[in-house]
Amino acid sequence: MGTDQRRFDRIPQPFETKCRRIHEPLKPWIPALTRDLSAAGMCVQSNERFEVGALLDIQIELPNVPGMLNLQGRVIWQRGSVVEYGVEFVEI
């Protein structure tokens, strides 16, 4: 296995998340669940398949934080029959 070259540590914690494509604000939010989260991105599981390169609006519900954390990210990889994808944050 290769060396992990991530800049930030990941928190392996499931957080309730919602995603949708940035250019489709009238479409419903897609429920998702984080597998891990860092300052630069996250790994997410969802029933919706977002293509690599897709720009997403993301809302994450964090414990002990009022409201939702609003982010934007880009899908940088995807895999699996239960859709799992990596997202790099582009705006927080």
Side-chain angles (χ1 to χ4, degrees):
M1 252 188 170
T3 303
D4 189 348
Q5 297 181 14
R6 289 180 176 85
R7 296 175 295 165
F8 301 100
D9 290 334
R10 292 185 288 170
I11 301 168
Q13 179 70 38
F15 295 113
E16 296 293 326
T17 304
K18 298 186 287 186
C19 302
R20 67 179 174 199
R21 287 177 181 82
I22 286 177
H23 302 294
E24 297 177 346
L26 299 179
K27 296 254 179 156
W29 288 95
I30 305 300
L33 188 66
T34 64
R35 290 189 40 130
D36 61 54
L37 179 68
S38 80
M42 63 183 185
C43 177
V44 179
Q45 284 186 323
S46 170
N47 291 328
E48 176 78 12
R49 185 172 299 276
F50 294 108
E51 66 280 353
V52 171
L55 294 173
L56 304 177
D57 281 324
I58 302 162
Q59 291 187 338
I60 301 175
E61 186 175 339
L62 298 174
N64 303 317
V65 176
M68 301 289 274
L69 178 62
N70 294 297
L71 310 162
Q72 291 183 344
R74 177 181 296 106
V75 177
I76 56 173
W77 58 264
Q78 67 160 292
R79 67 173 171 236
S81 54
V82 172
V83 183
E84 181 177 86
Y85 48 95
V87 174
E88 173 184 47
F89 297 138
V90 294
E91 188 172 321
I92 300 176

